[in-house]
Amino acid sequence: MKTIPILFSNKDLQRDYPTGAAFSSFVFRAMKEGRIKQVRKGLYALVSPSSGNVFANKFQIASRAYSDAFLSYHEALEYYGLANQSFVSTCVYLTDSHARDFEFDGVLFQAKKPSIRASVLDRMTEEGIRVASLERAIVDSIDRIPLAGGMEELENALGICPKLDEREILSLLSLFDKAILYQKVGYLFEKHFGNRYSSSFYGECLSHRGKCDFYLDCHPGNGKRVGKWRLMVEPTEVLPNEIF
C-alpha cells in the first residue's frame, strides 16, 4: 500500500504518479472516496478514516501554502506556548509570493509580506513547518501588535517568555531599521524583564530612538508620556516616576 504524506502536491507523489493525468486520476478517486481533501489548488490533505478530519494542523497547512511560507506573530506565539488564546478561525502566514487568502476547514489562511527574511527555522522534515525563531516572533509581534492578538495578548506572552538572545534581538532590530521598533522593544523589555537584559542592550535601543514621540496602543489625548523611550502609553501602564 502506498504511503501518502499528510499534505502533498503533485511533486510529492511524482514517483508513484509520474504524469499529470495519472495524478489527476488518483486525486479524483481519492477525493470521491473521502480519503483526501483539497486544501487549495495543487495542495491536498490526507483524511483520518476514524475522525473524518485531516491529519495536518493549521501550522502545517500554512507552511505548505507556498514554498517560502512561514509562521510568526500570534501563530508563532501559539507554537512556542506563549499565547493566552488560540485563534481557531484564522491563521496568518508570511510569504513573498503573490498570495491570495484561502479558506479550508473553517480556517481563513491570510498571507502577509514579511518585513525581513531572517531567523526563520526550517522544521519541515521534523514537524512540517517553518517558523520564526522565538526572538523573531517577539520582535515581529512588537512591530505589528494587532497581528500578535493585541496588546494584552502580547504582554501576556512577554510575561511568561524565557530569556531571549540579546544579540539576535539587536541584529533583527538592525535589519528592521525602525526607530519606533527600537523604542517599543526597549520599553517593553525594560517593563517585563528589567535587569535580565544588559545595560548595553537598553543603551543600544536608546541610541536608535527617534526624535518624535510615538503612541503605543493608546489613542491621542489619552496617553501618558514615558520620556526615556519617547512613547505615549496607557496611564495604567506607567509608574509615577516614569512620567516626564
Side-chain angles (χ1 to χ4, degrees):
M1 183 176 180
K2 297 174 181 177
T3 301
I4 302 174
I6 62 172
L7 286 168
F8 64 91
S9 65
N10 189 342
K11 185 178 179 180
D12 296 306
L13 300 185
Q14 199 164 22
R15 179 176 294 180
D16 296 321
Y17 305 98
T19 67
F23 180 76
S24 296
S25 177
F26 156 72
V27 166
F28 177 80
R29 292 195 312 272
M31 288 185 65
K32 187 175 182 180
E33 294 166 0
R35 293 189 288 128
I36 66 171
K37 290 183 179 181
Q38 183 176 32
V39 176
R40 64 169 186 80
K41 184 178 180 180
L43 183 64
Y44 303 90
L46 186 64
V47 174
S48 167
S50 59
S51 68
N53 299 320
V54 297
F55 287 104
N57 60 44
K58 64 178 183 179
F59 299 144
Q60 294 168 324
I61 291 170
S63 298
R64 281 297 304 266
Y66 292 88
S67 61
D68 66 340
F70 69 98
L71 306 166
S72 192
Y73 303 109
H74 193 269
E75 284 65 32
L77 298 182
E78 282 189 60
Y79 172 78
Y80 288 114
L82 300 179
N84 188 46
Q85 54 184 318
S86 175
F87 293 169
V88 296
S89 59
T90 60
C91 182
V92 172
Y93 65 95
L94 303 180
T95 177
D96 284 312
S97 303
H98 295 290
R100 293 182 178 180
D101 296 348
F102 66 93
E103 187 171 353
F104 177 70
D105 267 9
V107 179
L108 178 63
F109 291 86
Q110 298 177 303
K112 303 291 182 183
K113 293 285 186 182
S115 300
I116 60 172
R117 192 83 196 186
S119 296
V120 178
L121 308 178
D122 189 330
R123 295 179 174 171
M124 294 298 289
T125 301
E126 308 93 326
E127 302 176 45
I129 67 166
R130 295 181 205 88
V131 62
S133 69
L134 180 53
E135 286 79 6
R136 168 74 187 270
I138 292 295
V139 174
D140 272 346
S141 296
I142 294 175
D143 181 43
R144 301 177 72 180
I145 295 173
L147 292 181
M151 194 64 180
E152 184 177 350
E153 187 75 353
L154 173 59
E155 298 243 40
N156 174 79
L158 292 171
I160 58 175
C161 186
K163 182 76 161 61
L164 302 171
D165 186 322
E166 290 185 18
R167 290 173 297 178
E168 185 174 350
I169 296 292
L170 291 176
S171 175
L172 290 166
L173 289 173
S174 177
L175 291 172
F176 274 92
D177 193 25
K178 296 164 64 175
I180 177 58
L181 188 54
Y182 276 103
Q183 290 164 238
K184 292 195 292 184
V185 166
Y187 168 73
L188 289 169
F189 272 49
E190 190 172 56
K191 175 183 176 182
H192 286 276
F193 307 131
N195 59 13
R196 287 172 60 190
Y197 291 84
S198 67
S199 58
S200 62
F201 171 80
Y202 293 116
E204 186 68 14
C205 290
L206 283 169
S207 72
H208 290 276
R209 67 181 179 175
K211 297 179 179 180
C212 301
D213 291 349
F214 291 95
Y215 284 86
L216 176 62
D217 197 50
C218 69
H219 297 291
N222 293 335
K224 294 294 184 180
R225 184 173 186 266
V226 180
K228 178 179 180 179
W229 294 107
R230 292 179 182 157
L231 290 173
M232 300 294 292
V233 304
E234 288 289 345
T236 55
E237 298 287 327
V238 190
L239 298 174
N241 63 354
E242 290 181 320
I243 304 172
F244 56 95

